[in-house]
Amino acid sequence: MKRIKVAIAGNPNVGKTTILNQIAGTSLKVGNWPGVTVEKKEAVVKFGDYEIYLVDLPGIYTLEPISEDERIAVRFLEEEKPDVILNILETPNIERNLLLTTELLEFGIPTVVVLNMIDEANKLGIEVDEKRIEELLNVKAIKTIGRTGLGTKDILPAIVETYEKKLSPKPVTYTPELEEALKRVYDSLENKEVNKYELIKLLLNGEKFSELRRELENRTGKKVYDLVNDERYAFAHGLFAEVVKKRGVSAKDITDSIDRVVLHPYLGFLVFVAVIYITFKLAFDFSSPFVDWIDGFINNFLAPLTFSIMKTLHLPEWFLRFFSEAVVGGVGFVLTFVPLIAVLYLFITFLEMSGYIPRVAFLMDRFMHRIGLHGKSVIPLILGFGCNVPAIIATRTMESTRDKLLVIMMIPFMSCPARLVVFAFFASIFFKDHPALVITFLYMLGIFVALLTGFLLRKTVYRETLSHFVMELPPYRLPSLRSVLTIVLVHVKDFLYRAGTLIFGASIVIWLLLNLPPGVKNPSESIAGSVGRAIVPVFEPIGISDWKATTSLIPAFLAREIVLSSMGTIYTASEGGEKKEKTFDLWEALKSQVTGLGTALKDAVSSVLTFSITSLQVDEEESDTLRELIRKDFTPASAMSFMVFILIYTSCLGTYAVMVREIGKLRATLFLGYSFIAAWVTAFVIYKVFNILG
């Protein structure tokens, strides 16, 4: 089967991802470009006798290799040499888009031009003659509405026809002076297999052409760089004049009316707070019942069922427990991330495709500049208060590698609801008179450490100046449900495949630590118990001197909410409590799971109808026995120190796994070490201050 490599190029917000979703569907894959943190989308589609490999280049305005995105696009076009370029234009802003088209034509690669959002252009009185484009440029031109899929079925046939007929675009011609200079560059080369884009780059930067540049500047009265840009703009403008007709339209664009409120310095901020609250409210309250049901289904039904079935094979009990609890339970633990990630990404994708998130970046840009970041940083940072995992994934929309790395390093300090469970439990025991004040202090401390981390990184590792911030504010659009769901599915699959495998592997390791040597009944006799005792001297200076508390931090690395359940197991076992074996009744368990799923559906619907975020309300489920045991082993000072450590040390294994995925194992591991040191030092200071204050 023949293979066609297609580069999808276009400005930001022109609908490239929507078009790709329409023609590729669920075959779309999301990753990062090699060596950088810029998101890469690609897909393989079979059409006729061809396998079409589609690569979505980063959204860019020009091929000047200044930003990371532009360097990636130029490098791909120069080194990978695609068979066809699929150039997607936002028809309502076609004149600006044609500048990139002009630069792409210089490569001489067979091209298909997609005039997207043609419906919006028609509403604005813009009519584009696609046949005239084909005549002038010798390319295929297609009108589409990516949101509805109109016209997208013609794209793959156009790619195949362009490839088979080798429809190279007509050469872009500039003024005689520039063309003559380019010819002299060409004549001086031994390798004649160069395109116009490469000739222009040699003219602009080649050392041996400095005399030619001076000569050209003397003849035209312009710097060569300015001359080339002027010529490209002139070509794009001329093409626009040839193919576009505008008719008068008196209807007022609704975008301007909405922006008067959304971009207002005060009302806009209130709208932003409302949108974020509604996003958290719906995401948490809708997903939380399903998270609980998945956890219960795996641990209370599937794991015991697996144990019962495998028991008939007369295998060692330790192996049965390992497979049912570690392997099956490990899969279940990974799956518990899915509902929240899927729902949060559903809202993020909807807000991005609707045109609202670019406006948030614009609104918050002035404030974020004060801490050395751009407005785009605010969304991932705020999402961090919901869950660090999707917050880190959300940084993929950031163009600047520097900004993305800074924000990823700040997100884990934003306190998520899993940590709130631990805070509420300890605050209710040791700070009964003012638990809300203590929890608020912890949240503010997390924000302070995040800002301090960003400041230190900007002054040391990432000292580059703040990259340019030019963002287009696209018109408001209602994205199609299919496009949104496709993107959500792609990101969930990517999480399960990449981060999920690491989480699964690490969860098995932690289970082994808690259950080895084989046959161990008490956690104090396990490897984890030995490790817990060994690390007591490390935690003694911050007030945590009991091995049971340090041992509970080992499984806590899986997820912060596990701290309390592991403490319950370790403390009660060490006090002589015995673990009762439960009998497994298949039909009763199945009935319970079916009832539980119905309850989850009912709770998901009913909870979103309330005003408060019900899933963040902490239930005091822990036994009085555990509370008494904790009260004996901790003081208010050591309890506060413990909470501070839980707050600052990298939030969970899921966060670490996603960081590895986004910024690489070395950076993620170095950050893990940094967060441990920061947590220990801060907890030490807090512990000493509390002791001094009494």
Side-chain angles (χ1 to χ4, degrees), residues 313-328:
L313 301 175
H314 304 292
L315 296 169
E317 183 179 348
W318 184 87
F319 179 79
L320 296 180
R321 288 188 57 226
F322 167 74
F323 192 84
S324 61
E325 294 177 12
V327 178
V328 177

Side-chain angles (χ1 to χ4, degrees), residues 555-571:
F557 184 55
L558 280 176
R560 285 298 184 253
E561 61 268 32
I562 294 179
V563 169
L564 299 183
S565 62
S566 61
M567 275 187 160
T569 301
I570 295 167
Y571 273 83

Side-chain angles (χ1 to χ4, degrees), residues 385 413 415 437-451 647:
F385 288 109
F413 302 116
S415 186
L437 185 63
V438 170
I439 293 173
T440 301
F441 165 75
L442 290 168
Y443 269 75
M444 297 306 295
L445 179 62
I447 294 172
F448 172 77
V449 174
L451 294 175
L647 166 72

Side-chain angles (χ1 to χ4, degrees), residues 195-244:
N195 56 52
K196 177 160 282 189
Y197 181 85
E198 291 168 331
L199 288 175
I200 290 174
K201 191 162 73 169
L202 286 170
L203 175 63
L204 290 173
N205 304 310
E207 289 185 12
K208 69 176 183 177
F209 301 114
S210 58
E211 185 59 38
L212 179 57
R213 284 195 294 272
R214 280 194 294 271
E215 183 182 327
L216 186 58
E217 287 171 2
N218 291 333
R219 290 180 62 188
T220 61
K222 295 180 181 179
K223 294 287 185 183
V224 178
Y225 175 83
D226 295 333
L227 174 65
V228 170
N229 280 338
D230 289 347
E231 290 297 311
R232 285 170 170 166
Y233 277 111
F235 183 89
H237 180 72
L239 180 59
F240 171 80
E242 284 283 342
V243 302
V244 175

